[in-house]
Amino acid sequence: MTATTPATTGHRIDRRVPAGRLIVYGVVLAVGLCLMFAPFLFPDVRAQEVAARICVFIVLVASYDLLIGYTGIVSFAHTMFFGLGAYGVAIALKTMGAGFDAILLGGSLGVIAALVLAVLIGLLSLRVKAIFFAMITLAAASVMMVLASQLSDFTGGEDGMTYSIPRFFSPANTLIEGSDGKALRIFGVAANGRLALYYFVFLSSLILFLAMLRIVASPLGTVLEAIRENEMRAEAIGYRVVAYRTAIFCIAAVIAALAGIVRATWLRYTGPDVALSFDIMLDILLMVVIGGMGTMFGAVIGVVIMTLAQFYLKDLMAAGAAATADVPLIPDLLNPDRWLLWLGVVFILLVYFFPAGIAGTLMGKGDTK
């Protein structure tokens, strides 16, 4: 007998990429290009701050998605690891001076501290049920927040600390000199240390994000998804569930600490409100839900939507209130002080129309059943 092929039976294998996936890939590519050329597309200081924040938070949210989306681990200690990286760099730059050696040493110590804590929490706590593990991580994060506030001689307390960064990243540093002896302007943007600092943030974030994409596409990512779907079955077929869960918890902690290093270098300030606050943890959770759990690209979409809303929704509402000043009730509803109300409405609508998150819902549509 001759073997049958799709051609002889009249069936063909459909290798077309579903339309939903193409939309997600297109949006992520557009976001990536906007971030790559952000200094030239959006040269004002506020827009560059938004772009840098988006870069860092994409890494932070994607690393958290490794836990909650790919492995089913609910942790409230992610900002603790983020803060350890940030405080490590901040303390080193404050005590050692503005040098790359301080960033390297302080960052390394922050990452090591995050890794050690992650190993301890993982080995001691990941055997318990999910809700108890979540409570343990919440307690750990709360303790770290208290320590950062109380050890003011080292951390600056509630006020945090400001510090200088290497002169290479200073706006006064000329990267490329023009004919007039000043920094060469490329498409109207000065080639100085500020530009170098932004691309340090962008390239660091890009490398970390690509590393996470490689992790989820590797055999480790497949095992993590198996553990998420059925932990008992994964253990029955020979996988050491606690070891794998601890490993990904440590990887996510290290990546979060590295994101903290980048953020601290960009801000030149580190304090509890920007590194350890529970508000940041809530933002991360919202970004994951909006973008879609279990999709790295969902982190990109969730971070962009949430960050743009946080920075520009009030301005948009103010413009809307001014435009409808003669209309009854509308200007009052669009009062910028009510921006959190409208942010909540937008979040509810997104969850209603995209129950698996924007990326998760779109990437699920059109897939072959």
Side-chain angles (χ1 to χ4, degrees):
M1 291 179 63
T2 58
T4 59
T5 64
T8 59
T9 58
H11 298 286
R12 293 186 178 180
I13 300 174
D14 189 0
R15 292 187 174 88
R16 291 177 298 178
V17 179
R21 288 181 177 271
L22 287 177
I23 293 172
V24 172
Y25 295 156
V27 170
V28 171
L29 178 61
V31 170
L33 291 174
C34 287
L35 292 175
M36 181 183 295
F37 300 109
F40 306 101
L41 296 173
F42 318 105
D44 62 286
V45 174
R46 186 188 185 193
Q48 289 191 32
E49 164 60 27
V50 172
R53 177 184 168 89
I54 288 174
C55 289
V56 173
F57 268 74
I58 285 174
V59 174
L60 188 59
V61 173
S63 63
Y64 187 70
D65 197 33
L66 287 176
L67 298 178
I68 193 170
Y70 284 89
T71 320
I73 298 174
V74 180
S75 168
F76 293 113
H78 213 57
T79 49
M80 177 180 72
F81 304 127
F82 179 71
L84 284 170
Y87 270 104
V89 167
I91 293 171
L93 287 171
K94 188 78 171 179
T95 55
M96 297 174 60
F100 284 104
D101 56 340
I103 294 177
L104 183 61
L105 178 60
S108 299
L109 292 175
V111 169
I112 291 171
L115 180 60
V116 170
L117 278 176
V119 171
L120 292 176
I121 294 173
L123 290 178
L124 297 176
S125 309
L126 280 171
R127 297 178 185 274
V128 301
K129 292 183 178 180
I131 184 63
F132 297 113
F133 176 76
M135 292 300 100
I136 290 170
T137 58
L138 179 60
S142 300
V143 169
M144 190 60 64
M145 184 78 171
V146 171
L147 287 176
S149 299
Q150 296 297 322
L151 300 177
S152 55
D153 292 340
F154 299 99
T155 65
E158 292 288 345
D159 296 329
M161 61 176 72
T162 57
Y163 41 85
S164 299
I165 59 175
R167 188 181 181 280
F168 181 76
F169 292 140
S170 170
N173 179 41
T174 299
L175 299 179
I176 305 175
E177 189 174 302
S179 57
D180 58 353
K182 299 180 181 179
L184 179 68
R185 302 192 76 84
I186 305 172
F187 299 108
V189 178
N192 56 23
R194 179 73 176 181
L195 187 66
L197 178 58
Y198 176 80
Y199 279 105
F200 164 74
V201 173
F202 173 77
L203 291 175
S204 299
S205 302
L206 179 62
I207 291 170
L208 290 172
F209 185 73
L210 292 176
M212 285 185 282
L213 285 179
R214 182 68 189 91
I215 289 172
V216 299
S218 69
L220 173 60
T222 305
V223 174
L224 296 178
E225 292 182 16
I227 293 173
R228 178 194 64 196
E229 296 300 326
N230 195 317
E231 182 179 333
M232 294 182 63
R233 185 177 297 172
E235 192 163 12
I237 61 178
Y239 291 118
R240 299 176 63 186
V241 171
V242 173
Y244 277 103
R245 285 162 66 94
T246 303
I248 198 60
F249 189 67
C250 293
I251 291 172
V254 168
I255 294 174
L258 291 171
I261 293 170
V262 176
R263 183 67 172 163
T265 306
W266 169 264
L267 284 181
R268 300 183 179 88
Y269 165 79
T270 297
D273 55 330
V274 299
L276 293 169
S277 171
F278 194 69
D279 290 341
I280 300 175
M281 191 67 243
L282 290 177
D283 287 346
I284 293 171
L285 286 167
L286 290 175
M287 291 169 181
V288 170
V289 173
I290 290 171
M293 291 188 291
T295 64
M296 286 287 106
F297 296 136
V300 178
I301 296 173
V303 170
V304 169
I305 291 176
M306 190 71 178
T307 304
L308 292 180
Q310 289 173 328
F311 277 82
Y312 295 110
L313 184 58
K314 291 176 71 174
D315 296 342
L316 186 62
M317 291 175 62
T324 58
D326 298 330
V327 181
L329 188 63
I330 301 298
D332 192 44
L333 288 175
L334 294 179
N335 189 314
D337 292 337
R338 293 188 170 88
W339 74 278
L340 279 175
L341 168 66
W342 288 105
L343 182 61
V345 171
V346 170
F347 176 73
I348 292 170
L349 291 175
L350 286 173
V351 172
Y352 180 79
F353 289 106
F354 300 94
I358 294 175
T361 302
L362 290 176
M363 294 177 77
K365 288 184 177 180
D367 287 345
T368 55
K369 301 288 189 287

